[in-house]
Amino acid sequence: NASLLEVPLWCNPSLIGAIALSFALHFAILYIPVFNSVFSVAPLGLAEWKAILCISAPIILVDELLKWVARTFVDPPTVVTRGKGGSLKKTKVE
């Protein structure tokens, strides 16, 4: 439930590599003529890229909102302390 603002992408090099590889393969399929015919696709124009960005950008905002709701209401931060007799006690952080 960590926000993208709290955990930057560069903290996970495997994720960066996977994203870069995915982008490279998508661009290869879209813009290398041999792959166009193999996969029966056509290169995207500026209007299609704008549509992709407009449709996909809100997903990040909605995901961040859902993470905030989960952190705040579903699984709020707790502090674990040792009570009498050695038992563990969880208390919510206000």
Side-chain angles (χ1 to χ4, degrees):
N1 283 340
S3 171
L4 285 175
L5 301 174
E6 295 172 3
V7 181
L9 287 177
W10 54 86
C11 288
N12 191 343
S14 298
L15 178 62
I16 294 172
I19 291 170
L21 179 62
S22 176
F23 270 95
L25 291 173
H26 277 88
F27 285 124
I29 290 170
L30 283 172
Y31 296 107
I32 296 176
V34 172
F35 293 135
N36 286 169
S37 60
V38 170
F39 291 98
S40 299
V41 296
L44 298 178
L46 185 58
E48 288 91 2
W49 280 113
K50 285 181 181 178
I52 289 169
L53 290 175
C54 289
I55 292 168
S56 62
I59 294 171
I60 295 172
L61 299 175
V62 170
D63 188 47
E64 288 298 314
L65 177 66
L66 291 174
K67 288 178 187 179
W68 177 81
V69 168
R71 284 192 311 269
T72 306
F73 300 109
V74 177
D75 190 20
T78 57
V79 174
V80 178
T81 56
R82 199 165 288 280
K84 292 183 180 180
S87 62
L88 296 177
K89 180 180 176 184
K90 290 171 95 177
T91 54
K92 290 183 182 179
V93 175
E94 299 284 332

